[in-house]
Amino acid sequence: MTETDTASQPTGALSHLRVLDLTRVRAGPACCRILADYGADVIKVEAPAGVDPNETINGPRDGSDMQNLHRSKRSLSLNLKMPEGQEIFRRLAAGADVVVENYRPDVKYRLGVDYESLAAINPRIILASISGFGQDGPYAARAGFDQIAQGMGGLMAVTGLPGQGPVRAGAAVADVAAGVFAATGILTAVIEREKSGRGQWLHTSLLEAQIAMMDFQAARYLVEDEVPEQAGNDHPVSTPTGVQQTADGYLNLGVAGDGQWRSLCREIGRPELGEDPDFATVEARLHNRRQVRELLDPVFLGETTATWLKRLEAANIPAGPIYRMDEVFSDPQVAHLGMATTVEHVRRGPIRLVGTPVRLTRTPPRISSAAPDVGEHSEEILQDLGLDAERIAVLRRNGVV
């Protein structure tokens, strides 16, 4: 599959679901984006323009971040701080499947969008809550942001060169992971509802998601009582797995197993190193990591990156280039996978957005539209609720929508 406009492709895996998206910033919008790309009717419920002082927190409405986070959704402008706005939301919730929110934990109760209130209207409703630190506990009321979770979840302590101090990852790991985990929880609850007929409340947080993303590093501490340190570009428990400088740049080398090590030794003309007791096993190479580096560095400096990648691929040794973002989307495999998807924007014209990374063969995902303007679909959504044009006009004059 090549880069394409997906508007002509089939979709609909989740077309039977209606999702009310009360989220902002990144984790919640990323969660709802997943559902929208698979065909769910995601209604982005947001304050009318000018009501929220932080409405530009993700940049301009037509900017890359907003467009990528909120594609495939509809927008309803609704002031939930007003009683009329809350009443309209309750009417929407009565016919919805899922509500997603990422307010601070106490806010949902003030707005009447907590699970107990929603379930009283619609027992099948599923409420997904994403917070910074959890729905209760000593940090529940704190504001949560990705970098704070990266620090508290252990990522920054293992990222970067040894001794250089904590380093944040260059992507919003905690935010996006929380969104993915929340979407997983929503789909699990939807499947369970087929048996029970009842909805439920699920919640995750940036902190929980970041700790879960630490995976084997967290397990090293919990199981082995090892506290991981910064390892730079080297893999913490496998070598030679990391960045190698070449004659004209860098490449990633992924020699994990002993068989791969022996293949590498043959490829560089040093087959005897494959059996050398100082290097023959993973444990031995880790113990002698510095010597392994001293052996390989001058060898890799002798050829260009392109030459090494061809040689290593032919020898079935895992390796890959290290791209800047423009090079990522120029790679033929990335183009084949369709990870840049073109949609039409009313003011910007054709724009490319990041594709959906999981494909279903019968009901593939589809980015159906660019991100909507604030309240772009308010009238049609409110008409579906039975409100006539006169009533909608009154709501607009009163600042409810």
Side-chain angles (χ1 to χ4, degrees):
M1 180 177 181
T2 58
E3 180 183 320
T4 184
D5 180 347
T6 59
S8 61
Q9 297 177 19
T11 186
L14 301 179
S15 61
H16 59 300
L17 298 182
R18 170 168 284 188
V19 179
L20 305 182
D21 177 3
L22 294 173
T23 69
R24 53 183 298 176
V25 190
R26 187 170 313 282
C31 166
C32 294
R33 174 181 64 193
I34 294 169
L35 306 177
D37 284 351
Y38 287 103
D41 178 19
V42 176
I43 298 175
K44 177 175 169 53
V45 181
E46 51 191 328
V51 172
D52 182 359
N54 297 311
E55 63 185 13
T56 59
I57 195 168
N58 287 104
R61 190 74 175 198
D62 291 351
S64 58
D65 203 16
M66 288 293 288
Q67 290 299 313
N68 201 53
L69 283 170
H70 297 294
R71 80 272 185 109
S72 304
K73 303 176 184 179
R74 298 196 290 164
S75 173
L76 167 66
S77 59
L78 193 63
N79 191 340
L80 291 176
K81 294 181 180 179
M82 301 179 71
E84 299 97 323
Q86 294 177 13
E87 174 57 28
I88 290 172
F89 184 82
R90 284 192 290 270
R91 291 178 63 177
L92 280 170
D97 295 280
V98 180
V99 174
V100 187
E101 61 87 16
N102 62 350
Y103 301 122
R104 293 195 194 188
D106 61 315
V107 173
K108 69 174 71 61
Y109 296 96
R110 294 206 305 268
L111 297 178
V113 296
D114 57 282
Y115 178 69
E116 290 76 12
S117 298
L118 294 174
I121 301 167
N122 178 359
R124 291 176 56 83
I125 201 78
I126 293 164
L127 173 64
S129 297
I130 306 171
S131 63
F133 303 99
Q135 294 298 307
D136 47 33
Y139 303 158
R142 291 185 183 179
F145 289 94
D146 178 83
Q147 186 162 340
I148 297 171
Q150 286 193 29
M152 293 182 66
L155 180 60
M156 292 176 66
V158 300
T159 303
L161 298 172
Q164 79 173 105
V167 178
R168 68 178 291 274
V173 178
D175 268 337
V176 176
V180 173
F181 288 140
T184 302
I186 289 168
L187 297 177
T188 301
V190 168
I191 294 170
E192 192 281 334
R193 190 176 63 182
E194 295 176 1
K195 297 186 298 182
S196 68
R198 299 172 57 199
Q200 57 184 305
W201 182 28
L202 64 100
H203 46 86
T204 188
S205 67
L206 272 61
L207 180 59
E208 290 167 285
Q210 181 59 79
I211 294 170
M213 289 296 288
M214 294 304 292
D215 195 54
F216 77 95
Q217 294 281 52
R220 286 175 66 190
Y221 170 70
L222 293 175
V223 178
E224 310 293 349
D225 205 29
E226 297 177 12
V227 178
E229 302 291 345
Q230 289 171 307
N233 289 318
D234 290 327
H235 193 282
V237 295
S238 178
T239 196
T241 302
V243 174
Q244 285 291 158
Q245 188 172 2
T246 66
D248 65 345
Y250 299 89
L251 61 79
N252 271 320
L253 183 66
V255 177
D258 297 335
Q260 292 172 350
W261 167 250
R262 289 190 288 272
S263 294
L264 177 63
C265 293
R266 289 192 295 270
E267 185 60 32
I268 66 174
R270 297 292 303 276
E272 74 281 2
L273 294 177
E275 307 301 330
D276 188 318
D278 287 340
F279 309 111
T281 66
V282 172
E283 293 78 9
R285 290 193 297 279
L286 276 175
H287 182 72
N288 295 302
R289 187 193 289 271
R290 181 177 59 83
Q291 292 93 319
V292 172
R293 172 69 66 184
E294 290 172 351
L295 284 166
L296 295 182
D297 282 354
V299 174
F300 276 89
L301 285 170
E303 301 279 2
T304 65
T305 296
T307 298
W308 275 117
L309 290 176
K310 290 179 181 178
R311 290 180 58 180
L312 295 169
E313 181 178 3
N316 290 316
I317 298 167
I322 300 172
Y323 286 152
R324 294 173 61 88
M325 196 53 66
D326 56 340
E327 297 171 306
V328 170
F329 287 100
S330 297
D331 184 280
Q333 182 65 27
V334 175
H336 172 79
L337 293 170
M339 286 305 295
T341 301
T342 302
V343 296
E344 190 71 24
H345 187 275
V346 65
R347 286 176 291 277
R348 299 191 60 166
I351 60 173
R352 296 195 303 166
L353 301 175
V354 182
T356 308
V358 180
R359 305 301 175 89
L360 280 68
T361 56
R362 285 192 300 101
T363 55
R366 179 171 70 103
I367 300 176
S368 59
S369 63
D373 288 338
V374 177
E376 180 177 333
H377 304 94
S378 293
E379 188 163 338
E380 67 184 54
I381 293 168
L382 294 173
Q383 287 176 345
D384 287 345
L385 285 179
L387 278 68
D388 59 24
E390 183 178 351
R391 177 59 177 154
I392 294 172
V394 171
L395 292 171
R396 288 191 187 280
R397 286 199 299 271
N398 292 340
V400 178
V401 300

